[in-house]
Structure formats: structure tokens, C-alpha cells
Amino acid sequence: MVFILSFLQDLIMFLVKALLAWLWAIIQFFLPTSLIAKDIKGQTVLITGASGGIGSLLSKRFAGLGCNLVLWDIDSTLNDKTAMECRSLGANVTTFVVDLTDRESIYNTAQKIDRVDIVVNNAGVVTGKNILEAPEKLMELTLKVNTMAHFWMAKAFLSQMIRRNQGHLVTVASSAGLFGVTGLADYCTSKFGAVGFEESLRLELQRRPGNQVKTTCVMPYLVKTAMFSGCQAKYPFIMDGLEPEYVADKIVDAVLRNQEVLYLPKQIYLIAFLKALMPTTVYRLLNDFAGVTEFMDSFVGRKNQ
């Protein structure tokens, strides 16, 4: 009897909290960012993979918000170029050459930085070959940069955030962390890992009483950067590749709103829902119809990768 009463009490509490959470989520959806945005002016933002693409755009977006920047990349020349552009916007910028495949390189560089308020794990690589054609070293590189580096970045900076009970960790993953794609076995594996890492970390943090350390997981569809050069949607009028500027704006908005999960575009929410309901045979037919199975056939990528 006591067990049943306890169960009913927990169930009622869950239903009440769930209803309130749904209502707040609906309200937030319609509220403009300007009304609920947190103030990050003067905070220090660390961005990996800052030399180009989304990383460079994010750097300039945060510079425009009055943030101090710490830019990490393996390419010092392009990283310095991004830094110059951010300094022209009035930002205080520090750059580091960091090999994200090397755990000690991450830890040693982290010790040179006094404080970081927001960490954006943006760096990523892609092999773009079928599993039997992909060189083992490139597959290992993909997993180290796209997944393992997120662990080392969290271990390097999360403790100070927890001590201050303030901070934000952003995981730039991919919709390829939700759906398998032909020719992207290693990439999808790495992004599935990044998505799982962020969700588990979020739950760990939320279990801490009064936690104010936030996380955001970003899962965009194809972004029109050099990383996936050559790839294109089969039916662009249904869902075309995303402009990098749009993605950068949405990521910054998500940080300002403390949004935990961001799918881009919104069609991804529907596809993820349908995938859970479909028989695997129907899901395969949907992939064929949408061109997912031939998505990587025209892949070029970064020529110097």
C-alpha cells in the first residue's frame, strides 16, 4: 500500500512538472531572443576550429556581443586571420595552435588560460569515403577530433565552471548524429558519440543542486561550407543545404537563450520523430527517396584535408 501511494505521489508530481515544463517551452518558443537573452558581454568564449567556416563566423558573432575570445585551431595562419577580423570589431582575442587529437596538447594549452565562460566545441573533420575505402588513420582522426576532443575539453574546463556555478558548454554535432548516412560511417559514429556525450553530461550537471552550468547540443543538416563541398540535396525545395551565416546566428541565439537542443532546420524534428515510428524498410525507402543514399557521391570536401 505504501509503495502504491508513493508511486501515485511521484506520478502526480511528474505530471504537474511536465505540464509546467511544456507550457514554459511553448512560451519560450514564441518569445524573441532579445527578451530572454542572458548577458554575456565581457565573458570569455573559447571556440575550437575557429579558422574558418562556422568557427570563424561564431567568433565574429561573439566579438560583436562584446565577448573576449580564445581561438583554437591547428591552422595558425587562418586562425590569425579570424583573430584580426574579431579585433577589428573591438574584441580582445588570444589565439593558440592546438592539436585536438592530442589530449595533452588540450590540457597544456588549457592551463595557459585563466578563465573560460563559454566553450564551443566546433572543430570537425570528415573522411567522406565508404568504410572499406576509408584509410584507418583518417577514421581514427575523425573520432578523435569529432568525439574524443569533447571529453578532454570538458575535463579541462568544466571543473572551473562548476566551482563558479556558471558557464556554458556548446557541442556542435550534426544531424548525422541522429541518422546514418551512406559513405559517412566514421563521421556518423563520431557525431552520434558527440550527441550522446552532450546529453549524458547535461543530465549529470542537472542533477547537481542549483546547477547553473548550461549545455547546448547543435545538430544541423548539411551546411554549405568547404567541409562538405560537392554535396547537395536531391530536392532542395524540400530541404536545401544551410547557409553558414544562418547556422552561426542560430547557435549564438541558442546560447543566449540557454537552449539545450537545437535541430536545424526544423524539419529535422519531424524526421527524427518519424524515424522512431517507421519500420526499417520504410525508413530505407525514405532515404532512397530523399537521396540520402547517394548524398556523398559528389563529395569533394576540403582539398587540403
Side-chain angles (χ1 to χ4, degrees), residues 111-138:
Q111 291 177 359
K112 301 175 183 178
I113 307 168
D114 293 333
R115 173 181 175 131
V116 173
D117 299 288
I118 301 171
V119 172
V120 183
N121 286 308
N122 165 75
V125 297
V126 61
T127 305
K129 295 181 181 293
N130 292 326
I131 189 168
L132 296 180
E133 299 171 355
E136 286 85 351
K137 287 186 178 180
L138 288 184

Side-chain angles (χ1 to χ4, degrees), residues 248-259:
D249 287 341
K250 287 297 184 181
I251 293 174
V252 173
D253 274 359
V255 172
L256 295 176
R257 299 170 70 97
N258 287 327
Q259 184 173 342

Side-chain angles (χ1 to χ4, degrees), residues 11 32-33 52 58 69 85 88 94 101 111 116 153 162 165 175 181 183 189 194-195 243 263 277 298-299:
L11 177 61
T33 300
L58 286 173
L69 298 177
E85 293 172 344
S88 70
T94 307
T101 68
Q111 291 177 359
V116 173
M153 293 294 290
I162 291 175
N165 197 25
S175 61
V181 181
T189 299
V195 172
E243 295 298 333
Y263 292 173
L277 300 179
S298 56
F299 172 77

Side-chain angles (χ1 to χ4, degrees), residues 142-143 145-151 171-174 176-179 185-201 217 219:
T142 300
L143 291 170
V145 174
N146 296 1
T147 310
M148 297 310 301
H150 293 225
F151 285 85
T171 300
V172 180
S174 168
L178 301 169
F179 316 104
D186 55 342
Y187 184 80
C188 288
T189 299
S190 70
K191 293 301 184 179
F192 267 80
V195 172
F197 158 79
E198 188 280 334
E199 184 171 339
S200 298
L201 176 62
C217 188
M219 288 162 275

Side-chain angles (χ1 to χ4, degrees), residues 126-130 133 181-184 221-222 225-234 291-303:
V126 61
T127 305
K129 295 181 181 293
N130 292 326
E133 299 171 355
V181 181
T182 306
L184 286 177
Y221 176 62
L222 169 68
T225 62
M227 188 172 179
F228 278 96
S229 177
C231 299
Q232 57 185 1
K234 184 177 180 181
V292 177
T293 52
E294 57 196 56
F295 177 76
M296 293 297 292
D297 290 356
S298 56
F299 172 77
V300 175
R302 297 191 182 101
K303 294 183 181 297

